Amino acid sequence: MSELATTAPPPPLRLIRRSRTHGIEVLSAPDGRKDENQALDIVQHLGRGVVETAKDGSRLCLGGGSTPLEVVDTGDWRRRSLPDDSSGCERFSFSPRGSYLITWQRPSPDQFPDGSLRCWSLTDLSLAKAFHCKLLNRGGIDATLAWSGDEKVAFHSTTNTISIYDGSLREKLATIKCDSLKAFSASPGMIPYGVAAFVPEIKGRPAQVKVYQFPFPDDSDGQTCAKSFYRAQDCKLTWSPHGHGVLVQTHTDVDATGGSYYGGTGLYLMQSTPKKKGEQAFECLVPLPKEGPVAAAEWEPTKGKEFVVIAGSIPPAAALYNLEAEQIYAFGNAHRNVICWAPHGRFLALCGFGNLAGDVDFWDRNKKKKIGSVNMPCAVEYGWSPDSRLFVTATTAPRMNVDNGIHVYRYDGSGPLSTTKDRDPLFDCFWLPGVTDDYPDRGVSPASKARMRAAPKPEPAKGAYRPPGARGLKGGGSLASMIRAEREKDKGSS
């Protein structure tokens, strides 16, 4: 008699909370099928300090105190300690698949003769490689030492150079020369591996972003695309999940047009692979949905062939684009400045955080339909659960030193399902990451559709008060329009 195959349940959802009073705690998540306010139960207490998680949630690292760094396996909460000289380290990060832990401490020739940027193999906690590094690049460890998505290639930046190593850092494979290099970003995709390099404006020369692919084609330095532009002191490089393209968001401290107090911005799209051999890959200036500063630009997280942009004067406009920078849908104008995709790429939150009022719209990207709106005031930290069914916001210190707490909502903004306001001051709150494929990609539930139908309709906007005698007049309630109407009335009566 054959047994029916059973599907293993997905891993439980967990929140990480860090507070002054209670340190680092792992919390359970509420059940989205229940309406009542649910408690966030403590599953594990991890101590004090700072915490970083691997991208798949399989490991986390604890540090920042007087004891050595500890690596914790989240499956059984087993702890392993790094050597004693890692004590006090507060800058550490995992490689994309969680195979390596990279740590940085202030240089000390006596304590770290081989370099203070160190890479540890998490198989046996052995030191794989050390680099000399006085200061980290802007953007932290990932902007100084980064791996490809499959961890078979690593990129390390030094002055005017990007060195390419094999994934274990034992052998240098190639070198990319780039004079005046200020920042670089490695693609999370697979082979061919991409890397983008930014060179700022210098002595009247325009800024440049260059895209390279490795392995290099024959008789080539690997450059597949280049873009030059002025008014670019800083640059944010955002790769698509599979490395198809990179969004280049430029910034200057002063807006030459005088249109913004916060400086000038620009947005460009650069693809990584040419359509024909021997040609440069596609690049362009992204046509903004509304003229004005660029507030945010984010890739869809699964296929990575679409992205959303929020730009324009207040209220800005949001729009969805394809990989050719063609607008395929407009979300409209609203006071929003943050784009937050759910891990499965189905749901999308357009948020107005920071100096805005906290209004959030939830969209079903597949159906291009708004599924809910809610006000989430004073949100400092926010994010989707790994199963794309819950959305958390947290009011944290030091940005907000009062009313610290956590709120958990459903994917359509209904709720909150859980609220805590008893952990002052609260420093961090975020989801323990997970593997997206471990959770089913579910659409809008019948219960959510019923909530949308039962939701009260928004009241029509109220216009300015007009006296009874002025209502219905073409010119409004002005004295001139009232006199004009009176004259027309007299002519009709005569």
Side-chain angles (χ1 to χ4, degrees), residues 14-15 17 22 24-28 39-46 423:
R14 295 288 184 255
L15 281 164
R17 174 173 62 186
H22 299 275
I24 304 169
E25 298 167 313
V26 181
L27 310 177
S28 63
L40 300 177
D41 297 326
I42 299 174
V43 176
Q44 194 78 16
H45 188 272
L46 300 176
R423 298 282 170 159

Short mmCIF file of all heavy atoms in Angstrom, two decimals, residues 14-15 17 22 24-28 39-46 423:
data_model
loop_
_atom_site.label_atom_id
_atom_site.label_comp_id
_atom_site.label_asym_id
_atom_site.label_seq_id
_atom_site.Cartn_x
_atom_site.Cartn_y
_atom_site.Cartn_z
N ARG A 14 9.22 34.48 11.68
CA ARG A 14 9.81 34.99 12.90
C ARG A 14 10.20 36.46 12.73
O ARG A 14 10.65 36.88 11.67
CB ARG A 14 11.07 34.19 13.28
CG ARG A 14 10.80 32.73 13.62
CD ARG A 14 10.10 32.62 14.97
NE ARG A 14 9.89 31.24 15.38
CZ ARG A 14 8.72 30.61 15.34
NH1 ARG A 14 7.65 31.25 14.90
NH2 ARG A 14 8.60 29.36 15.76
N LEU A 15 10.03 37.24 13.79
CA LEU A 15 10.47 38.62 13.86
C LEU A 15 11.67 38.73 14.79
O LEU A 15 11.75 38.02 15.80
CB LEU A 15 9.35 39.53 14.38
CG LEU A 15 8.25 39.95 13.39
CD1 LEU A 15 7.05 40.49 14.16
CD2 LEU A 15 8.77 40.99 12.42
N ARG A 17 13.57 41.35 17.24
CA ARG A 17 13.39 42.61 17.96
C ARG A 17 14.62 42.88 18.83
O ARG A 17 15.11 42.00 19.53
CB ARG A 17 12.13 42.55 18.83
CG ARG A 17 11.95 43.77 19.73
CD ARG A 17 10.61 43.74 20.44
NE ARG A 17 10.45 42.61 21.32
CZ ARG A 17 9.31 42.33 21.97
NH1 ARG A 17 8.24 43.07 21.78
NH2 ARG A 17 9.24 41.27 22.76
N HIS A 22 15.63 44.52 26.92
CA HIS A 22 15.57 43.06 26.80
C HIS A 22 16.55 42.49 25.77
O HIS A 22 16.58 41.28 25.56
CB HIS A 22 14.15 42.63 26.44
CG HIS A 22 13.14 43.01 27.46
ND1 HIS A 22 12.87 42.24 28.57
CD2 HIS A 22 12.35 44.10 27.57
CE1 HIS A 22 11.93 42.83 29.30
NE2 HIS A 22 11.61 43.96 28.72
N ILE A 24 18.23 41.23 22.31
CA ILE A 24 17.77 40.68 21.03
C ILE A 24 16.86 39.49 21.29
O ILE A 24 17.25 38.53 21.98
CB ILE A 24 18.97 40.25 20.16
CG1 ILE A 24 19.92 41.43 19.97
CG2 ILE A 24 18.50 39.70 18.82
CD1 ILE A 24 21.26 41.04 19.36
N GLU A 25 15.66 39.56 20.73
CA GLU A 25 14.67 38.50 20.92
C GLU A 25 14.12 38.05 19.58
O GLU A 25 13.99 38.84 18.65
CB GLU A 25 13.53 38.98 21.81
CG GLU A 25 13.96 39.38 23.21
CD GLU A 25 12.88 40.15 23.95
OE1 GLU A 25 12.30 41.08 23.35
OE2 GLU A 25 12.60 39.79 25.11
N VAL A 26 13.76 36.77 19.51
CA VAL A 26 13.07 36.21 18.35
C VAL A 26 11.60 36.04 18.72
O VAL A 26 11.28 35.42 19.74
CB VAL A 26 13.68 34.86 17.93
CG1 VAL A 26 12.97 34.32 16.70
CG2 VAL A 26 15.17 35.00 17.69
N LEU A 27 10.71 36.59 17.90
CA LEU A 27 9.28 36.60 18.20
C LEU A 27 8.50 35.78 17.19
O LEU A 27 8.90 35.65 16.02
CB LEU A 27 8.74 38.03 18.19
CG LEU A 27 9.48 39.09 19.02
CD1 LEU A 27 8.83 40.45 18.83
CD2 LEU A 27 9.51 38.71 20.48
N SER A 28 7.38 35.24 17.62
CA SER A 28 6.47 34.56 16.71
C SER A 28 5.69 35.60 15.91
O SER A 28 5.63 36.78 16.28
CB SER A 28 5.50 33.67 17.49
OG SER A 28 4.69 34.48 18.36
N ALA A 39 -0.74 38.43 20.41
CA ALA A 39 0.54 38.73 21.06
C ALA A 39 1.69 38.19 20.22
O ALA A 39 1.55 37.18 19.52
CB ALA A 39 0.57 38.10 22.45
N LEU A 40 2.81 38.86 20.29
CA LEU A 40 4.04 38.40 19.64
C LEU A 40 4.87 37.67 20.70
O LEU A 40 5.60 38.28 21.47
CB LEU A 40 4.82 39.58 19.06
CG LEU A 40 4.08 40.42 18.01
CD1 LEU A 40 4.93 41.60 17.57
CD2 LEU A 40 3.70 39.57 16.80
N ASP A 41 4.73 36.35 20.77
CA ASP A 41 5.37 35.56 21.81
C ASP A 41 6.88 35.47 21.58
O ASP A 41 7.35 35.39 20.43
CB ASP A 41 4.77 34.16 21.85
CG ASP A 41 3.29 34.18 22.21
OD1 ASP A 41 2.90 35.05 23.01
OD2 ASP A 41 2.54 33.33 21.68
N ILE A 42 7.64 35.44 22.66
CA ILE A 42 9.10 35.30 22.59
C ILE A 42 9.45 33.84 22.37
O ILE A 42 9.11 32.97 23.18
CB ILE A 42 9.76 35.85 23.87
CG1 ILE A 42 9.44 37.34 24.05
CG2 ILE A 42 11.27 35.64 23.81
CD1 ILE A 42 9.94 37.90 25.36
N VAL A 43 10.13 33.56 21.27
CA VAL A 43 10.55 32.20 20.93
C VAL A 43 11.96 31.92 21.43
O VAL A 43 12.26 30.82 21.91
CB VAL A 43 10.48 31.98 19.40
CG1 VAL A 43 11.00 30.61 19.01
CG2 VAL A 43 9.08 32.20 18.89
N GLN A 44 12.84 32.92 21.33
CA GLN A 44 14.24 32.73 21.71
C GLN A 44 14.82 34.07 22.15
O GLN A 44 14.53 35.11 21.56
CB GLN A 44 15.04 32.20 20.52
CG GLN A 44 16.40 31.65 20.85
CD GLN A 44 16.35 30.25 21.44
OE1 GLN A 44 15.32 29.58 21.33
NE2 GLN A 44 17.42 29.81 22.07
N HIS A 45 15.64 34.03 23.20
CA HIS A 45 16.36 35.22 23.64
C HIS A 45 17.82 35.02 23.28
O HIS A 45 18.45 34.03 23.66
CB HIS A 45 16.21 35.43 25.14
CG HIS A 45 16.78 36.74 25.61
ND1 HIS A 45 18.10 36.89 25.97
CD2 HIS A 45 16.22 37.96 25.75
CE1 HIS A 45 18.33 38.14 26.33
NE2 HIS A 45 17.21 38.81 26.20
N LEU A 46 18.39 36.00 22.54
CA LEU A 46 19.73 35.83 21.98
C LEU A 46 20.81 36.65 22.68
O LEU A 46 21.97 36.60 22.29
CB LEU A 46 19.72 36.18 20.50
CG LEU A 46 18.79 35.34 19.62
CD1 LEU A 46 18.80 35.86 18.19
CD2 LEU A 46 19.19 33.88 19.65
N ARG A 423 8.15 48.41 24.71
CA ARG A 423 9.58 48.15 24.64
C ARG A 423 10.34 49.43 24.37
O ARG A 423 11.00 49.56 23.36
CB ARG A 423 9.86 47.12 23.55
CG ARG A 423 9.19 45.77 23.81
CD ARG A 423 9.96 44.97 24.84
NE ARG A 423 9.23 43.79 25.27
CZ ARG A 423 9.77 42.74 25.83
NH1 ARG A 423 11.07 42.72 26.03
NH2 ARG A 423 9.05 41.72 26.21
#
